[in-house]
Amino acid sequence: MIVWLNGTHGAGKTTTSALVQQLLPDSRVFDAEKVGETLMDIKPGLPGTDNFQHWPPWRPLVVETARRVLDYTGGTLVMPMTVLVEAYWREISAGLDQHGIPVRHFVLHADQETLRRRIEGDTVLGPSWFRLKYLEPYAEAARTWLHAEAEVVDITHLTPAEAAQRIAEAVKN
């Protein structure tokens, strides 16, 4: 099984995924961003883009990597990854479905002001223009398709540990 944690950049997916992993027996965290980083390391580089998700190889490589890891280890993969383009989510989820891999898709959600305040006040990574530029695309995806495709966890007043507990309980039930 895959427990996919979606939401905009800065919503706490990485932190929450590590906590979810601790609560789910036989689970591992697989950050699909590492697949993107591998593609970014190709020399000479792939065609220019502002987001590696736009490269056509990224999506099937995420599916294939997740499938191969699950075939090898079994258990559950907890995957923190922002996917805001509906066609990309459909491609990934269809690919996983073709391999018979069930996916529980969660979105860590907070209102725009809360997200902006968290991103600007991040004491670990500092304020990030990259994260801020995805606030509106996230809001649009949430309005148009994302919240209908996932289990929404409102993190406005939750700690990452509380969000992780809710997700783990939902997966176990």
Side-chain angles (χ1 to χ4, degrees), residues 17 27 36 50 74 127:
S17 67
S27 65
D50 66 340

Side-chain angles (χ1 to χ4, degrees), residues 88-159:
Y88 296 174
W89 175 252
R90 299 245 179 262
E91 183 178 345
I92 291 166
S93 59
L96 295 168
D97 187 56
Q98 285 178 338
H99 294 293
I101 301 169
V103 177
R104 290 291 296 268
H105 184 195
F106 295 89
V107 172
L108 301 183
H109 173 78
D111 62 79
Q112 294 286 292
E113 189 51 44
T114 298
L115 290 167
R116 181 176 306 284
R117 190 170 52 253
R118 288 181 182 183
I119 292 167
E120 291 173 347
D122 190 322
T123 57
V124 176
L125 297 176
S128 166
W129 68 266
F130 177 84
R131 289 174 165 189
L132 290 170
K133 82 175 188 174
Y134 281 95
L135 288 178
E136 184 49 42
Y138 167 73
E140 179 64 18
R143 278 190 301 271
T144 58
W145 71 273
L146 183 58
H147 284 192
E149 291 290 318
E151 300 171 60
V152 178
V153 178
D154 188 336
I155 58 166
T156 303
H157 302 291
L158 296 180
T159 65

Side-chain angles (χ1 to χ4, degrees), residues 1-2 25-28 69-77:
M1 165 187 279
I2 291 175
D26 197 25
S27 65
R28 292 169 173 74
V69 170
L70 285 172
D71 284 351
Y72 180 63
T73 64
T76 299
L77 286 183

Side-chain angles (χ1 to χ4, degrees), residues 11-12 15-17 19-20 118 155 158-167:
T15 301
T16 303
S17 67
L19 297 168
V20 169
R118 288 181 182 183
I155 58 166
L158 296 180
T159 65
E162 291 167 332
Q165 187 66 43
R166 287 190 186 184
I167 292 165

